[in-house]
Amino acid sequence: MTTFKNLIGGKWVAAKTGKTFPNRNPADQSDVIGEFPASDARDVEAAVAAAKKAFTGWRRMPAPKRGELIFKVGEILTRRKEEIARAMTREMGKVLKETRGDVQEGIDTAVVHGAEGRRLHGFSAPSELPNKVGWTVRAPIGVAGLITPWNFPLAIPTWKSFPALVAGNTVILKPASDTPHSAHLLVEAMEEAGIPPGVVNLVHGAGGTVGNALVEHPDVRVISFTGSTAVGREISQKAGHALKRVSLELGGKNAMIVMDDADLELAVEGVLWGAFGTTGQRCTATSRLILHKSIHDEMVRRLIGRVAALRVGPGLDEKTEVGPLINPGRVQAVDEYVRIGKKEGELLCGGEPLTGGALKKGCYYAPTVFSGVRPTARIAREEIFGPVLSILTVKDLDEAVRCLNDTAYGLSSSIYTRDVNSAFIAIEELETGIVYVNAPTIGAECHYPFGGTKDTGNGHREGGTHPVYEVFTEWKTIYVDYSGSLQKAQIDNRKSE
C-alpha cells in the first residue's frame, strides 16, 4: 500500500504527527487507495513559512510567465486525463464520464487563467487636475488558504488555485479527507510544470485541525472555502476577527420549474441529469421539481419509469449511470432524510440503501423520488446532498417562482418553457446566482462566474475572470503629478467657482 505525503516548500514530507489515515474506494470499502498524512497545526505552520518565503520571488515573476506555467499544468492534465479520471472515480465514486469532465474542467480553467496572465486588467481615468495622471493595478494579497470539497476533487482546486497563482499569491491547498489522492495528482502536475518550491503547498488532514489552523493563522491573508453553510459561517466568524479576505461557496436547494407548455421529454432528461448526476452530491443538484398542475401526472409518469431504470453501480463500469455515495456516513444521512420524507410526502421509488450482490461492499443508495411534497417540508428546504428528489405542484408561474424562492439558499435554478415571456420573467424574478432556461440546474462553465445568493455564500464568485480576481487581488491606485507644483485635489480644480 502506498503512503502519501504532504508537499511543503518543494519537499514531500510526512505529517509531524507521524500518523496517517486510509483513503477508501466508496464503491468497495475494502479497497484502500493509500494512506495519507493526518497533519496538524505544526504542518500548517511549516507550509505557511514556506509560502511566505516563496511569495516575494513569485509575485515578482511577470504575470505572463506565471500564466505560462498554468498553461503547462493544463498540458500535463490533458496528457494524463484518462489516468486521473480513473483514479478519481476509484477515489470518490462518480462515473467515468463525469470524472473525465472534472479533469476537463481543470484543463479548461488552465486555459482561461493562463491567458489572464497577459491581462489582469486594471483601469485608468482622467485626472481632475492638469499634468497629472492616475491608474489602477491589481496586486497579490499574499498567502492563500484553499479548502476544497470532495465532490469535484480536481476542478474546484483548479478554480481556486489557478487564479490565485496567476495573481501572484502563494497557496496552501487543504483538500477534503475523502479525496486526498486527486489533490495529490493535481499538485504533482503543478510540480512537473515547474511551479517553484513553496509556491504551492499541499497539507492533508481533518478540516477541524488543518482547515481551522489555516483560517486562524495570522499570515494566511485570504481564505477560499467550498463546503457546507454551517462550516462557512464558522470560517467567516473566525476570519472576520483578523479582517481576512474570505470567499465562501456554500450550500444549495435548487429547483427546476416545468411549465405547462414545456417539452416534457427534454424536461425528464434534464431532471434525471440534474437530480442524479454525481449521485445528487452537487451543491447545484436539482433537489426540487416544481410542476405545473396540468402536466404533473404526465411528467411524473414519464419520470418514475426512467428513475427506476437507472443503473446503479461502480463508476468504473462504463454502463453505470449512478455511482456510490462518498462514504458510509453519507448513506446514513441520506437514509435519515428519506425516513423524514416518508412522513412528508409519497415515496414513488427508491428509498433505501442498496446492499445486494456486487453492491454489498459499497456506499450505494437507490435514486429516490417523493411526490406531494409541501414547500414547508424539511426535504423541500434542507440540503440532502444525495439522490433524493422532491416534487411540488403549483398552479401558475407566479406560484412557481414564489415556491422556488422560498428557501434559505440561492445558488441555481431552472425553468422549462417554450414561452419567451415566461422565461424572461423567471430570469428576472428567481433569487439565485445562476439561472438556466430549458436546462437542469447543473452544468457550470469555468469562464462564467459561479456562486449564489442568501445562505449560499458571502457574495464572492468562483470561476469567470474579473469576479474571482476580486477574491485574490488588492487594488492599488497610482497617481503621477508632473506639473512641478503642489496641486490639491478637490480644491485647486474649484478655484474658478
Side-chain angles (χ1 to χ4, degrees), residues 2-21 35-48 50 171-177 179-181 183-185 187-188 191 198 200-206 209-211 214:
T2 304
T3 298
F4 294 85
K5 297 181 178 181
N6 296 323
L7 181 66
I8 298 177
K11 296 180 180 179
W12 293 98
V13 294
K16 294 187 182 298
T17 62
K19 298 177 181 179
T20 61
F21 64 90
E35 292 282 336
F36 286 82
S39 308
D40 66 13
R42 293 172 293 173
D43 302 286
V44 172
E45 185 66 42
V48 172
V171 305
I172 301 164
L173 173 61
K174 205 302 282 186
S177 297
T179 52
H181 189 221
H184 176 93
L185 294 174
V187 171
E188 268 191 345
E191 189 179 39
V200 175
N201 303 275
L202 174 66
V203 182
H204 297 287
T209 305
V210 174
L214 275 175

Side-chain angles (χ1 to χ4, degrees), residues 373-388:
V373 179
R374 297 177 64 82
T376 54
R378 286 184 63 186
I379 60 169
R381 303 188 71 81
E382 299 177 16
E383 187 175 39
I384 298 173
F385 227 65
V388 180

Side-chain angles (χ1 to χ4, degrees), residues 53-66 139-140 165-170 196 199:
K53 182 178 179 181
F55 174 64
T56 299
W58 181 246
R59 72 172 177 80
R60 288 176 178 171
M61 180 185 289
K65 295 298 181 183
R66 298 194 297 258
L165 292 169
V166 168
N169 303 286
T170 54
V199 172

Side-chain angles (χ1 to χ4, degrees), residues 133-321:
V133 294
W135 69 93
T136 67
V137 296
R138 292 186 180 274
I141 297 174
V143 178
L146 313 179
I147 305 172
T148 60
W150 48 262
N151 57 339
F152 287 85
L154 188 135
I156 292 178
T158 66
W159 278 17
K160 297 178 187 296
S161 63
F162 289 176
L165 292 169
V166 168
N169 303 286
T170 54
V171 305
I172 301 164
L173 173 61
K174 205 302 282 186
S177 297
D178 282 306
T179 52
H181 189 221
S182 296
H184 176 93
L185 294 174
L186 172 61
V187 171
E188 268 191 345
M190 293 178 170
E191 189 179 39
E192 182 182 343
I195 292 178
V199 172
V200 175
N201 303 275
L202 174 66
V203 182
H204 297 287
T209 305
V210 174
N212 192 57
L214 275 175
V215 171
E216 294 186 342
H217 198 291
D219 292 327
V220 177
R221 296 308 309 157
V222 55
I223 294 288
S224 181
F225 169 79
T226 299
S228 74
T229 297
V231 174
R233 282 197 176 97
E234 291 180 13
I235 289 173
S236 183
Q237 290 169 359
K238 291 176 181 178
H241 288 293
L243 300 179
K244 295 187 182 190
R245 184 80 54 86
V246 179
S247 173
L248 303 174
E249 202 287 291
L250 308 175
K253 191 64 179 176
N254 316 288
M256 174 195 293
I257 296 169
V258 182
M259 295 303 296
D260 54 345
D261 63 340
D263 180 335
L264 295 190
E265 194 54 37
L266 181 63
V268 167
E269 294 292 339
V271 75
L272 285 170
W273 177 229
F276 305 112
T278 323
T279 321
Q281 298 172 118
R282 294 182 183 226
C283 55
T284 54
T286 305
S287 59
R288 295 180 293 154
L289 178 61
I290 300 171
L291 300 180
H292 190 284
K293 64 179 182 179
S294 67
I295 52 89
H296 174 277
D297 293 351
E298 177 62 17
M299 181 70 181
V300 170
R301 184 190 68 78
R302 295 187 187 204
L303 177 64
I304 295 306
R306 295 289 301 279
V307 174
L310 287 171
R311 186 183 177 112
V312 180
L316 288 170
D317 182 344
E318 295 277 7
K319 295 179 181 179
T320 293
E321 296 171 290

Side-chain angles (χ1 to χ4, degrees), residues 295-492:
I295 52 89
H296 174 277
D297 293 351
E298 177 62 17
M299 181 70 181
V300 170
R301 184 190 68 78
R302 295 187 187 204
L303 177 64
I304 295 306
R306 295 289 301 279
V307 174
L310 287 171
R311 186 183 177 112
V312 180
L316 288 170
D317 182 344
E318 295 277 7
K319 295 179 181 179
T320 293
E321 296 171 290
V322 179
L325 292 167
I326 186 64
N327 58 43
R330 289 305 311 153
V331 176
Q332 294 174 8
V334 170
D335 199 45
E336 176 59 31
Y337 269 110
V338 168
R339 286 196 290 271
I340 293 168
K342 288 176 180 178
K343 300 175 183 177
E344 297 182 327
E346 179 186 356
L347 179 64
L348 299 183
C349 64
E352 61 183 358
L354 299 177
T355 57
L359 308 183
K360 64 182 179 181
K361 294 183 179 181
C363 305
Y364 296 97
Y365 206 93
T368 299
V369 180
F370 288 97
S371 68
V373 179
R374 297 177 64 82
T376 54
R378 286 184 63 186
I379 60 169
R381 303 188 71 81
E382 299 177 16
E383 187 175 39
I384 298 173
F385 227 65
V388 180
L389 177 69
S390 297
I391 299 177
L392 301 88
T393 308
V394 295
K395 66 180 183 299
D396 56 27
L397 179 60
D398 287 345
E399 186 180 2
V401 169
R402 288 196 303 272
C403 184
L404 188 147
N405 288 339
D406 186 19
T407 173
Y409 300 103
L411 180 51
S412 185
S413 60
S414 164
I415 182 169
Y416 278 72
T417 180
R418 291 187 174 98
D419 183 349
V420 66
N421 296 327
S422 295
F424 274 87
I425 288 170
I427 289 168
E428 182 175 350
E429 297 295 332
L430 295 177
E431 297 169 355
T432 58
I434 304 167
V435 178
Y436 292 90
V437 177
N438 294 326
T441 59
I442 68 175
E445 300 178 33
C446 67
H447 54 294
Y448 290 109
F450 180 91
T453 63
K454 300 189 279 190
D455 286 2
T456 289
N458 64 340
H460 287 295
R461 292 292 184 267
E462 308 238 74
T465 51
H466 176 80
V468 75
Y469 286 97
E470 292 299 306
V471 175
F472 292 115
T473 59
E474 300 279 13
W475 283 107
K476 182 181 290 187
T477 303
I478 300 120
Y479 298 101
V480 176
D481 189 324
Y482 54 97
S483 67
S485 61
L486 174 63
Q487 299 192 92
K488 299 180 287 294
Q490 295 92 44
I491 298 173
D492 288 345

